[in-house]
Amino acid sequence: MDAAFTAEQDEIRRTLRELLAKRSGPAEVRAAVATPEGYDTDLWHRMSGALGLPGLALPEEYGGVGCGPAELALACEETGRALTPSPLLATAVLAAPPIRALGAERQRAELLPRIADGTLTCALAVPGGSLALALGLTGDNGAWVAGGGRSGGVQARAVDGGWQLYGEVTQVLDGHSAGLLLVAAHAGGFARSRTLFFLVRGEAAGLVRVRQPTLDATRSQAALQLRDVKAELLGEEPVDVLGALAATGRTAAVALAAEALGAAQAALDRTVEYVGTREQFGRPVGSFQAVKHRVADLYVQVEAARSLTYGAAREPGDGAGTGALALAAALEALRTVAGETIQLHGGTGFTWEHEAHLYFKRATADELLFGPARRLRERAAQVTGLFGEVAA
């Protein structure tokens, strides 16, 4: 694999990093998450309108840039570096791929250009309490259930030539502010049981959206209640919803790994800067051998995660294994670096207001949402047939 980036990719990284350095420091991040939307809307318009980030991986025929997973991963790495709260993950990484894969041409032509220019934000709502399982990251998503019987979730029923949804979904990323919800629901009863995707407008009657308190405030989540909400079927039956979710999970794993990698690198950079200037016994703390060893170990772990992440981004056709392994390595690197950042900043690092805790909260919350790392590695072993037959 060629490790070098193209001039276009380097320009995406440079431009976005410069913008976020000015507009997404720790103080700006805390101010953004306190807004009703949970992010800086003006910054989002700059990221989408001027830079075209939501449309990086969308075809040019739908108003996108026509790039691929590598460019989207680079953008996620930079937003992760700054811990920038934005709809990029929920809209471009989780919701846009199923719409593109399963939507009718009319739906794609209506929705994808608005996603590409940032005027439409979306959220993926999957019942069942495990987004990672639904995306096929921590197991075969054939075991995931959108609803039915006593499992709760969301039920869909045909009414007067249309559809109505009834049920509840928790932990929907950016679900409180998204203009469009992509809801997975169970339809057909026992005899014709199946899972389908439905489009629900954010202002639909009967829809109640409640923003939830979260450990990581930069990763907004909502609980949705649907009470006979009118919905539009995505695409035409028969559709392979589980296959579309698994494909989305493969690209999402790379984007999430890049996010975690960017955050880990930023925390490491801050730590190196601090131990290089903080003095103890008349010399910088970083000059002590014990500190040098700890920082060197962090560097090695981050670089290992970087190699796996960049490899998965450049070769997305290798399947779910590479993405899951990259995500596991990146999540572990972020968790380790964030913990050491708090430790090596001494007493000031233990104060809840210190920016080191922003990285620690992101590390912990991401493992709860998309991990844990051991399950990601177990799934990668299953799909690559490391210990036997290749899993579905």
Side-chain angles (χ1 to χ4, degrees):
M1 181 195 73
D2 183 6
F5 290 103
T6 66
E8 183 182 38
Q9 291 170 335
D10 285 333
E11 184 64 16
I12 292 172
R13 182 196 295 276
R14 182 192 64 80
T15 305
L16 183 54
R17 184 175 297 185
E18 288 181 355
L19 173 63
L20 296 182
K22 298 176 182 177
R23 297 289 303 273
S24 192
E28 289 80 7
V29 167
R30 286 190 168 95
V33 299
T35 63
E37 296 84 2
Y39 61 92
D40 183 343
T41 55
D42 181 64
L43 177 58
W44 171 247
H45 293 321
R46 292 280 300 276
M47 292 167 61
S48 54
L51 303 183
L53 296 190
L56 275 177
L58 292 177
E60 294 182 24
E61 62 182 298
Y62 296 117
V65 180
C67 296
E71 288 75 15
L72 186 57
L74 283 178
C76 289
E77 182 180 352
E78 293 306 315
T79 58
R81 174 187 291 270
L83 297 181
T84 304
S86 80
L88 183 64
L89 176 66
T91 300
V93 178
L94 296 179
I99 293 174
R100 179 184 172 187
L102 302 180
E105 179 56 34
R106 172 188 58 80
Q107 294 170 325
R108 293 197 297 266
E110 175 192 354
L111 300 175
L112 293 181
R114 296 172 60 201
I115 291 175
D117 65 18
T119 57
L120 177 65
T121 58
C122 305
L124 177 65
V126 290
S130 178
L131 178 60
L133 179 59
L135 293 173
L137 296 176
T138 56
D140 179 6
N141 66 0
W144 164 77
V145 179
R150 297 182 178 180
S151 63
V154 179
Q155 311 288 326
R157 61 191 181 100
V159 178
D160 298 330
W163 291 88
Q164 286 186 350
L165 305 184
Y166 190 96
E168 186 174 299
V169 192
T170 59
Q171 293 184 308
V172 180
L173 296 179
D174 289 326
H176 70 290
S177 61
L180 180 71
L181 300 171
L182 182 59
V183 183
H186 177 269
F190 179 80
R192 298 186 62 244
S193 174
R194 64 209 189 276
T195 298
L196 302 174
F197 267 135
F198 295 90
L199 302 172
V200 176
R201 309 295 169 174
E203 68 280 1
L207 172 65
V208 178
R209 306 191 283 179
V210 180
R211 186 177 179 183
Q212 297 175 308
T214 57
L215 174 64
D216 177 16
T218 67
R219 192 82 89 189
S220 295
Q221 298 177 36
L224 309 181
Q225 294 181 355
L226 303 103
R227 299 295 181 262
D228 293 329
V229 175
K230 291 184 178 180
E232 177 186 350
L233 177 66
L234 179 67
E236 299 177 356
E237 295 193 73
V239 291
D240 184 9
V241 170
L242 296 183
L245 279 171
T248 299
R250 288 192 287 271
T251 56
V254 178
L256 289 164
E259 260 196 355
L261 172 64
Q265 183 64 62
L268 178 58
D269 290 344
R270 293 176 186 277
T271 303
V272 170
E273 180 183 5
Y274 179 80
V275 299
T277 56
R278 174 73 167 90
E279 292 191 357
Q280 188 72 26
F281 305 113
R283 55 189 287 193
V285 173
S287 66
F288 294 103
Q289 189 176 48
V291 176
K292 288 181 180 179
H293 286 174
R294 291 171 72 175
V295 173
D297 288 342
L298 297 179
Y299 174 79
V300 170
Q301 190 167 1
V302 170
E303 288 304 304
R306 187 187 312 281
S307 296
L308 283 169
T309 301
Y310 288 175
R314 292 177 184 278
E315 301 173 9
D318 283 356
T322 54
L325 284 176
L327 181 55
L331 290 178
E332 283 191 335
L334 176 56
R335 175 175 17 101
T336 303
V337 172
E340 287 292 308
T341 295
I342 293 174
Q343 292 280 342
L344 292 173
H345 273 75
T348 185
F350 281 85
T351 60
W352 200 241
E353 296 79 9
H354 195 276
E355 61 195 53
H357 286 270
L358 293 175
Y359 296 97
F360 185 76
K361 291 175 183 177
R362 170 62 67 88
T364 305
D366 270 8
E367 277 223 77
L368 290 173
L369 274 173
F370 306 109
R374 61 178 178 80
R375 294 291 302 277
L376 292 165
R377 289 197 173 95
E378 180 183 357
R379 178 58 179 164
Q382 290 175 349
V383 299
T384 54
L386 182 61
F387 300 115
E389 295 184 0
V390 177

